[in-house]
Amino acid sequence: MQKHYAAQDIIGVNPITAMPFTASGEIDEASLIRLLEHLADSGAQGTTLFGIASEFPKLDDHERDRLAQIFVTTLAGSPLYRAMSVTDHSTEQAVKRARRYASLGADALMLLPPFFLQPGPQAIQEHIFAVLEAVDIPVMVQYAPGETGLAITPEQLAAVAARYPHAVFKIECNPPVDYTREFLAKAPQASVLNGYAGLYMLQMLEAGGKGVMPGCSFIEVYVRIYRHWLQGELQQAEVLHTALLPYIQRWMSHCEYIIQAEKTILMRRGIIASDYCRRPGWALTAEDSLLIDKFIADFQL
C-alpha cells in the first residue's frame, strides 16, 4: 500500500534521477531500472524525475510518458517518495501533465515555472497557482534563477505558501541562504528544499530548510551528511561536506558539466551502462577523468 504524502513529508535527501542513454543516444531502460533500484536502497527519502539533471529538455513526449510509467512502477512499494517535474511553458499543458502524473501515482510534483520569452510576474504566478489547483499532492515550486533567468521575490513565494498548504519550495538561487531566511520569516510554515548540488546543504538546514535535492550519482554521501546532521553530529557533517565541496564547486561551474560528471560516476560505479549525454553536452577532459577516479576512491564509492 503506497503512502499518501503531505507537504511536510517531502523532506530529506531527494536526488534528481539521471537519464541513462545508450552509446547511440537512445533511452536505456535497463540502466534506468538499475539506477532506480540503487536509489531505493541508498537511504534517500525520495527521488525526482525530469529535473534539469534528467536532461528533460532533450526528451520527446513519447519518451516522457514511457519513462514516467517505468519510474512509478519500478519504485512502487519502495521507501522513496516519487516526484515528477512539470516543465511545460504553457499553463494549459502544465495543468494536463500535472494531472496525468498524479493519476499515474506520483507522490509529489516539482514545478519549474515558465521562463521562455520572459512572461511577466502575474502570468508566472497564475501558472503556479493553476498547477497547484489542479492536484492535491505536494508540489515543489522550483526557484532556479540561474537556469531560468527568472527572479521571484520572497514575498511572491510567501504568497504561494499562504494560499496552498501542499506547496513545497525548492530554492536554488546562488547563494540561497539569505533568500531562504527572508522567505521563511514571511512563511514560517513552509517547507524548503535546496538544490544546486547541495553546495549550501548545511547552511540551508541550519536556516530552516528540510532537505536537499542533488544529483544521484553519489547520493550515499549526501545521505551520510544528512544523517549526521539529524543526529546532531554537526562536526562530522561539516567534515564530510567540506571534503565534497571542491568537487561539486568545480562541476557546478556549468550545468552540463555536472550532468556529465555525474553520469560518468554512475557508469564507473557500474550502475548505468553508458555515460552518454544527449547533445549539446559537455566533453570531459583527461584531468576530469582522473578527478572522477580520485573522487570515487576518496568517498569509497
Side-chain angles (χ1 to χ4, degrees):
M1 179 79 182
Q2 196 71 29
K3 177 184 171 182
H4 181 75
Y5 287 85
Q8 57 268 28
D9 300 318
I10 306 302
I11 60 167
V13 183
N14 173 6
I16 304 295
T17 302
M19 186 48 57
F21 299 111
T22 65
S24 59
E26 297 304 314
I27 301 282
D28 180 353
E29 292 186 6
S31 283
L32 176 62
I33 291 166
R34 204 158 51 239
L35 172 58
L36 292 172
E37 288 169 346
H38 163 76
L39 293 176
D41 291 336
S42 67
Q45 279 70 35
T47 188
T48 299
L49 187 63
F50 305 130
I52 292 168
S54 311
E55 297 174 69
F56 79 81
K58 301 174 185 178
L59 301 169
D60 69 31
D61 278 348
H62 172 74
E63 288 172 332
R64 276 192 215 202
D65 285 345
R66 172 80 184 135
L67 291 164
Q69 286 167 339
I70 292 171
F71 181 75
V72 167
T73 53
T74 303
L75 293 176
S78 84
L80 301 178
Y81 53 82
R82 303 160 299 171
M84 284 192 267
S85 192
V86 173
T87 58
D88 304 82
H89 288 271
S90 136
T91 302
E92 292 84 355
Q93 284 300 110
V95 163
K96 282 180 189 167
R97 200 180 296 274
R99 287 184 177 139
R100 172 161 169 69
Y101 289 165
S103 70
L104 269 180
D107 300 305
L109 301 176
M110 185 161 75
L111 175 63
L112 185 66
F115 55 89
F116 187 65
L117 301 184
Q118 298 174 307
Q122 179 153 2
I124 291 159
Q125 189 174 58
E126 285 168 5
H127 182 99
I128 293 169
F129 287 178
V131 172
L132 281 159
E133 279 162 21
V135 296
D136 58 6
I137 58 176
V139 178
M140 297 176 269
V141 179
Q142 198 170 358
Y143 180 43
E147 284 63 48
T148 64
L150 170 70
I152 301 174
T153 66
E155 287 80 5
Q156 286 171 307
L157 271 198
V160 179
R163 192 161 161 179
Y164 299 102
H166 63 305
V168 179
F169 300 87
K170 183 188 183 189
I171 294 178
E172 44 193 344
C173 47
N174 184 21
V177 182
D178 290 344
Y179 183 99
T180 299
R181 286 205 173 100
E182 200 178 325
F183 168 61
L184 287 174
K186 293 172 175 30
Q189 78 287 6
S191 286
V192 170
L193 302 176
N194 175 227
Y196 223 71
L199 274 176
Y200 301 94
M201 178 178 177
L202 292 175
Q203 296 102 304
M204 287 290 280
L205 289 169
E206 191 191 333
K210 299 287 193 287
V212 65
M213 294 184 69
C216 68
S217 68
F218 43 95
I219 200 60
E220 302 94 325
V221 182
Y222 295 101
V223 169
R224 276 183 244 158
I225 295 168
Y226 183 64
R227 284 179 178 166
H228 282 312
W229 185 82
L230 279 182
Q231 288 157 8
E233 299 163 357
L234 303 188
Q235 194 180 349
Q236 291 97 314
E238 188 71 48
V239 166
L240 200 47
H241 191 255
T242 301
L244 189 59
L245 272 178
Y247 295 100
I248 54 178
Q249 280 168 337
R250 176 182 173 129
W251 295 330
M252 273 303 285
S253 61
H254 193 285
C255 232
E256 295 278 18
Y257 189 4
I258 194 160
I259 290 168
Q260 183 62 71
E262 292 236 17
K263 277 236 184 123
T264 302
I265 292 165
L266 285 169
M267 182 184 75
R268 297 219 181 145
R269 296 185 65 190
I271 297 164
I272 64 175
S274 164
D275 64 351
Y276 187 92
C277 289
R278 282 187 175 168
R279 293 170 190 169
W282 187 279
L284 296 181
T285 64
E287 185 190 355
D288 286 324
S289 189
L290 290 172
L291 191 72
I292 285 170
D293 286 341
K294 182 179 184 314
F295 176 81
I296 290 170
D298 281 357
F299 289 94
Q300 300 170 330
L301 299 167

